[in-house]
Amino acid sequence: MTLRHILLSMNDKRINDNAANEKRQARTVSLQSSAPKDTSATQHNSDAKLPEITSNAEEQRVRDDTSIKSPLPKPATVTHPWLALAFLALSVSLIVVDGTIVNVALPTMIRELHLNFSQAEWITTIYALIFSALLITMGRLADSLGRKTILLIGIVLFVGASILAGASTTSSTLLTARALQGIGGATVLPTTLSTVNSIFQGKQRAIAFAVWGSVISGMAALGPLLGGFLTTYFSWPWIFYINVPLGVIIVIGAIFFVPNTYGEKRGRGLDVDGFLLSSIGLGALVYGLIEGRSLGWWTPTDPDSLLPISLAAIAIMTGTVFLIGFFLWERHRRSYKRSRLVNIELFRIRSFFFGNIAAGAIAIGEFGLLFILPLYLQNVRELSALEAGYVLATMALGAFIAGGLAGPFAQATHPVTVARSGLALEILALIVLGFILDAHTSIFIASAILVVYGFGLGLASAQLTSLVLADIPVQNSGQGSAIQSTVRQIGSALGIAIVATFLAISVNMHTDNSLADLSINPTVARSIEHSVADSAGSSLIALHHGVGDFSAFEPSLRSSMAQALDHGFALGSGQAIIMSTVFIGIGFLATLALPKPQQSLKTTA
């Protein structure tokens, strides 16, 4: 699933943005017709529409920061708007499928490319990391240079990177390709969202977003199945090659049917320094989290190291310093009224502040889970990639069922209640799964639990998005949406870095000395035990089938070894799932701080 709930949420967000824009335009017309000459009355009425802040000074501060100096862009004139929508939806489908298709193929890629655990983490993390770092910047470039222009550049880059990824025979080449895919994905996504919003209006706009969201949802559900099918019946490179014909179709369609729309001007200058500070900070932080297990969390594991502390520790500290510097730099640019990568003043709005904490923490837990499950299903349970895809698709089934119930539930109660209920179901399902998971857990029972988890996900994701953006001033709805999307992408990168690292540590702990009672040379046994975590569990497949060095062991001994190591990997996986649950629990606690329906907006200060 991976990017599924992000894009569903962004779809809901864009509908909210559209409604907010129309509301703003209607308010402007109303003010002009009712009091065209009384500027004080007009100002009073306009102020009444803004969110209430706890003090007049704070109110003016946020209003000054979010004011628009140019009118909202008019809808573009398009000869075939529905054909344009089809190609825009197909464009963003590439991004969705790429995020969901890789996880289920990852165990096969690990075995065939001989990846270690850290490299496996980077295959999925580097895409989300670069995606999140560039998302807001690429949206700004598209507004200035033309969205169709940037879309075409992004598609060509994404397809080229997909060809490179499929042809990769080494981890370094594959990682480079995934990084380029991240750049392409960050280029494509904001252009499609804003273009759809520009070419439709009124009732057609609502229909367009419903169609657009349905296509994305379907592709998200199809991703694990498609990845499993291609990996099982063809080979893993085809999960990337499938992007080539789709990319060609999109480029041809975009050239002929998608208009080149532009956004409004946003202050003076491009925040290059903010981009560099945030990108370096996030990159260094994620690097330290992923490599800490191999490089040492504080003391270097390499006895020949010339440094008193490990590179991982240095990276984490450097990343923290750069991110603090980014925050201070954004405040500095605000004081000079220059354009900024992130409008940090929005975080003074209580619902936005705590909503983004919730969204980020939940993304850490959810994306960490999606790293764990394919490894367990394919390495311990020996399911094929397609069979694992079927199991993962049960989450999409639960989310689909919840999609039809979330709206009536929210109308009968409140979106906050729906979001909390969904998160509670997610937590309950994962706690049960984490504690019952072993080498012989029924796949049917595990799938049933994942349906419940998916149902909770379906309730929580869309409602949480609307809650985060509910009190954002109309003028800043686009910036608020972009920040929320970035927070979710950062959460996905951190989720893989944190939860996957915990998985490796936990698996090492449970496989350590697990072969001590068997008649195996202690040194050899130790090496085999360590290979389980180091290979992300792929050594279990070789052990099950007596491949390579394991062919030297008697079948009965191999069976005993496999039983012990499978048990250790399953226990480690269960504990890592509990760790994912902890982060979702943090997100749940953050929703408790969201304003209640009857409360006025308050700031975090």
Side-chain angles (χ1 to χ4, degrees):
M1 188 193 67
T2 307
L3 291 179
R4 178 181 182 280
H5 76 280
I6 296 176
L7 291 169
L8 284 174
S9 299
M10 292 183 73
N11 176 47
D12 292 337
K13 164 268 295 179
R14 186 56 59 183
I15 294 176
N16 291 336
D17 291 351
N18 165 51
N21 288 342
E22 292 178 347
K23 180 180 178 182
R24 180 179 182 273
Q25 292 170 343
R27 183 183 69 199
T28 302
V29 172
S30 174
L31 291 175
Q32 290 174 345
S33 61
S34 62
K37 297 180 180 181
D38 188 353
T39 58
S40 62
T42 301
Q43 181 65 41
H44 174 75
N45 291 337
S46 177
D47 290 350
K49 300 294 184 180
L50 290 169
E52 181 182 349
I53 311 297
T54 52
S55 68
N56 291 334
E58 286 292 341
E59 181 177 0
Q60 186 62 45
R61 187 176 182 181
V62 173
R63 185 185 299 109
D64 289 344
D65 191 63
T66 59
S67 61
I68 296 179
K69 302 305 181 184
S70 58
L72 291 171
K74 297 180 180 180
T77 301
V78 187
T79 305
H80 302 287
W82 297 107
L83 279 175
L85 173 66
F87 290 109
L88 291 169
L90 187 58
S91 299
V92 79
S93 294
L94 280 182
I95 312 304
V96 182
V97 170
D98 189 73
T100 60
I101 207 171
V102 171
N103 281 348
V104 75
L106 187 59
T108 302
M109 296 164 67
I110 291 171
R111 291 194 298 271
E112 296 190 5
L113 293 179
H114 307 290
L115 305 178
N116 60 35
F117 197 96
S118 294
Q119 290 169 336
E121 289 182 82
W122 278 114
I123 294 300
T124 50
T125 303
I126 196 168
Y127 176 84
L129 182 64
I130 292 179
F131 194 108
S132 62
L134 294 176
L135 187 61
I136 296 177
T137 300
M138 289 303 181
R140 296 285 181 86
L141 286 177
D143 287 345
S144 301
L145 303 180
R147 291 158 182 159
K148 175 179 174 178
T149 302
I150 297 300
L151 171 65
L152 290 172
I153 293 173
I155 292 294
V156 171
L157 178 58
F158 190 87
V159 170
S162 297
I163 296 173
L164 180 61
S168 298
T169 56
T170 64
S171 61
S172 58
T173 305
L174 182 56
L175 288 173
T176 300
R178 289 290 287 164
L180 293 173
Q181 281 190 311
I183 298 174
T187 303
V188 169
L189 183 58
T191 60
T192 59
L193 288 166
S194 51
T195 302
V196 171
N197 197 48
S198 296
I199 63 180
F200 290 97
Q201 57 181 322
K203 292 182 179 179
Q204 283 193 337
R205 187 178 282 167
I207 296 172
F209 276 114
V211 173
W212 186 79
S214 298
V215 170
I216 293 172
S217 302
M219 295 302 290
L222 180 64
L225 298 178
L226 181 61
F229 174 79
L230 292 174
T231 304
T232 300
Y233 293 106
F234 294 91
S235 59
W236 68 261
W238 280 97
I239 69 172
F240 298 111
Y241 290 149
I242 192 67
N243 295 329
V244 177
L246 293 176
V248 172
I249 293 171
I250 291 168
V251 168
I252 294 173
I255 289 174
F256 289 101
F257 298 109
V258 176
N260 200 15
T261 61
Y262 297 83
E264 61 194 50
K265 301 299 181 181
R266 298 174 178 267
R268 298 179 290 117
L270 184 64
D271 190 6
V272 176
D273 294 325
F275 166 72
L276 292 175
L277 285 169
S278 62
S279 300
I280 295 173
L282 286 172
L285 182 62
V286 171
Y287 175 84
L289 291 172
I290 290 178
E291 299 294 340
R293 189 178 66 87
S294 57
L295 297 178
W297 292 107
W298 185 257
T299 303
T301 55
D302 183 1
D304 297 326
S305 174
L306 301 177
L307 299 174
I309 58 177
S310 71
L311 286 175
I314 293 174
I316 291 174
M317 290 186 290
T318 301
T320 303
V321 170
F322 270 77
L323 291 176
I324 294 173
F326 168 70
F327 173 79
L328 297 175
W329 176 250
E330 296 301 284
R331 293 190 63 179
H332 169 75
R333 288 185 69 89
R334 178 195 174 279
S335 64
Y336 286 91
K337 298 188 182 301
R338 298 180 67 86
S339 65
R340 287 155 292 146
L341 197 62
V342 173
N343 182 359
I344 59 174
E345 293 300 307
L346 292 179
F347 288 97
R348 293 180 176 274
I349 300 174
R350 181 176 174 181
S351 58
F352 191 75
F353 178 79
F354 287 105
N356 273 294
I357 290 178
I362 293 165
I364 291 174
E366 291 174 351
F367 284 86
L369 173 70
L370 292 171
F371 183 87
I372 299 166
L373 288 176
L375 298 178
Y376 166 79
L377 293 171
Q378 295 183 57
N379 292 333
V380 176
R381 306 310 303 274
E382 294 190 82
L383 299 186
S384 68
L386 180 58
E387 291 169 334
Y390 281 128
V391 174
L392 294 179
T394 59
M395 292 186 286
L397 174 62
F400 176 79
I401 296 172
L405 300 176
F409 187 14
Q411 291 178 353
T413 57
H414 188 269
V416 173
T417 304
V418 179
R420 290 171 184 168
S421 300
L423 291 174
L425 284 176
E426 289 188 56
I427 293 169
L428 177 63
L430 292 189
I431 288 176
V432 173
L433 182 62
F435 278 107
I436 71 168
L437 199 68
D438 60 31
H440 306 288
T441 300
S442 167
I443 297 298
F444 176 80
I445 292 176
S447 298
I449 294 172
L450 291 177
V451 171
V452 176
Y453 169 81
F455 186 85
L457 177 63
L459 290 179
S461 60
Q463 300 303 319
L464 185 60
T465 297
S466 63
L467 289 168
V468 172
L469 300 174
D471 297 318
I472 294 296
V474 171
Q475 300 95 321
N476 232 46
S477 58
Q479 170 78 169
S481 301
I483 292 173
Q484 186 195 42
S485 301
T486 301
V487 167
R488 287 180 180 271
Q489 287 293 333
I490 292 172
S492 70
L494 291 177
I496 297 168
I498 295 172
V499 178
T501 298
F502 184 84
L503 171 65
I505 295 172
S506 184
V507 167
N508 257 336
M509 181 180 67
H510 287 289
T511 56
D512 192 33
N513 293 322
S514 61
L515 304 180
D517 295 334
L518 301 178
S519 55
I520 307 174
N521 181 285
T523 303
V524 174
R526 191 77 172 171
S527 176
I528 294 173
E529 291 165 357
H530 287 171
S531 72
V532 177
D534 292 341
S535 67
S538 65
S539 64
L540 295 175
I541 297 296
L543 177 59
H544 293 157
H545 298 281
V547 177
D549 294 338
F550 293 113
S551 61
F553 295 96
E554 293 292 330
S556 60
L557 181 58
R558 284 205 314 269
S559 177
S560 299
M561 294 164 60
Q563 184 176 3
L565 295 176
D566 283 348
H567 180 68
F569 193 93
L571 289 180
S573 299
Q575 291 187 353
I577 289 174
I578 297 298
M579 173 59 75
S580 294
T581 310
V582 169
F583 283 100
I584 297 176
I586 293 173
F588 176 82
L589 293 177
T591 65
L592 299 179
L594 291 174
K596 295 180 180 179
Q598 67 273 18
Q599 287 180 326
S600 298
L601 180 68
K602 296 181 180 180
T603 66
T604 59

